[in-house]
Amino acid sequence: METKILDIVAKRWSPVAFSDKPVNEKILESLFEAARWAPSAFNEQPWRFIYARREKDTAFKKMLDTLVPGNHEWAQHAPVLALSLARVFFTYNGKPNPTAYYDTGMAVGNLLAQATYMGLFVHQMSGFSAENAREALRIPDEYEPIAMMAIGYYGNAKTLSGTLREREKKPRTRKPIEALIFRGGFPAG
Ligand SMILES: Cc1cc2nc3c(=O)[nH]c(=O)nc-3n(C[C@H](O)[C@H](O)[C@H](O)COP(=O)(O)O)c2cc1C
């Protein structure tokens, strides 16, 4: 029997074909609200998100311009771009927070689940210049930019260029579960 997983986990994937259809502000709020409720060490909530809408915010172009060309090509059509950041020092004592990235990843996980539930798609990208983002988006030193995200509804793969269309059709793959999960410790030898 096939192992069962939640629909919102099974249905999530990272497309490159985004529709022009705007994302309603309330829906976007739900995504960030879901992120807000993630757990974190010492309840530090180190995650931050900067977002911009393609049609309305001048920051959209600034964010887009930080992307490597391979991401810029398709992400320019997404109605929303967002950047995840982590505050890498604890607010209560100023010391480095070793789980800031982990916690931020959990917040993004919540955001992805909420997005999938609401029929949206999110494609994360580490292919961007954090340095340029820091400058363009006025990011203070204690925050580390992590990943850019294209957010929107699914578009039409037929509108993509040849290479992107091929990529969009490729079956998604994962390592086998035995390579990832170990009962009682790593295998001996
Ligand atoms: C932190 C992070 C960075 C990523 N960076 C990029 C990127 O720069 N460009 C891209 O096209 N996809 C990027 N991806 C998407 C991954 O390639 C994708 O999640 C992976 O191949 C699994 O596919 P799936 O999301 O459809 O399950 C990134 C994903 C994550 C989580």
Side-chain angles (χ1 to χ4, degrees):
M1 193 179 88
E2 208 177 301
T3 310
K4 288 197 165 148
I5 59 171
L6 291 171
D7 255 14
I8 52 165
V9 176
K11 287 187 174 152
R12 184 213 60 81
W13 62 289
S14 306
V16 290
F18 279 92
S19 153
D20 273 350
K21 181 178 165 183
V23 180
N24 172 291
E25 194 69 44
K26 275 278 160 215
I27 289 181
L28 208 50
E29 252 174 51
S30 296
L31 268 51
F32 293 126
E33 181 66 7
R36 197 165 77 92
W37 285 102
S40 60
F42 295 98
N43 200 18
E44 169 70 27
Q45 303 158 62
W47 48 80
R48 300 291 185 274
F49 297 96
I50 295 173
Y51 80 96
R53 295 170 157 282
R54 188 155 64 90
E55 305 297 345
K56 298 190 173 159
D57 301 316
T58 51
F60 186 93
K61 181 154 187 334
K62 291 184 192 173
M63 293 171 85
L64 191 64
D65 287 346
T66 67
L67 298 178
V68 298
N71 286 332
H72 188 288
E73 182 185 357
W74 55 265
Q76 61 181 307
H77 303 292
V80 178
L81 284 176
L83 174 64
S84 59
L85 309 110
R87 188 183 203 282
V88 292
F89 299 99
F90 283 116
T91 39
Y92 79 100
N93 63 6
K95 294 208 170 136
N97 176 355
T99 61
Y101 293 100
Y102 181 89
D103 297 347
T104 303
M106 280 195 290
V108 173
N110 276 12
L111 185 152
L112 296 181
Q114 188 69 36
T116 309
Y117 178 73
M118 299 183 110
L120 285 158
F121 289 87
V122 179
H123 193 149
Q124 299 177 77
M125 296 163 275
S126 50
F128 76 103
S129 163
E131 204 179 64
N132 294 354
R134 188 177 289 287
E135 166 96 28
L137 306 170
R138 304 178 302 278
I139 299 167
D141 288 349
E142 63 271 32
Y143 297 92
E144 286 298 331
I146 305 177
M148 206 63 91
M149 293 181 267
I151 304 174
Y153 294 95
Y154 191 62
N156 182 351
K158 287 189 185 136
T159 62
L160 297 169
S161 71
T163 339
L164 284 180
R165 204 174 328 138
E166 281 310 303
R167 178 177 157 188
E168 195 80 325
K169 279 196 297 199
K170 270 198 184 153
R172 291 168 63 233
T173 59
R174 286 300 187 267
K175 292 176 176 145
I177 200 124
E178 315 81 72
L180 307 171
I181 316 297
F182 310 116
R183 186 170 185 175
F186 268 77

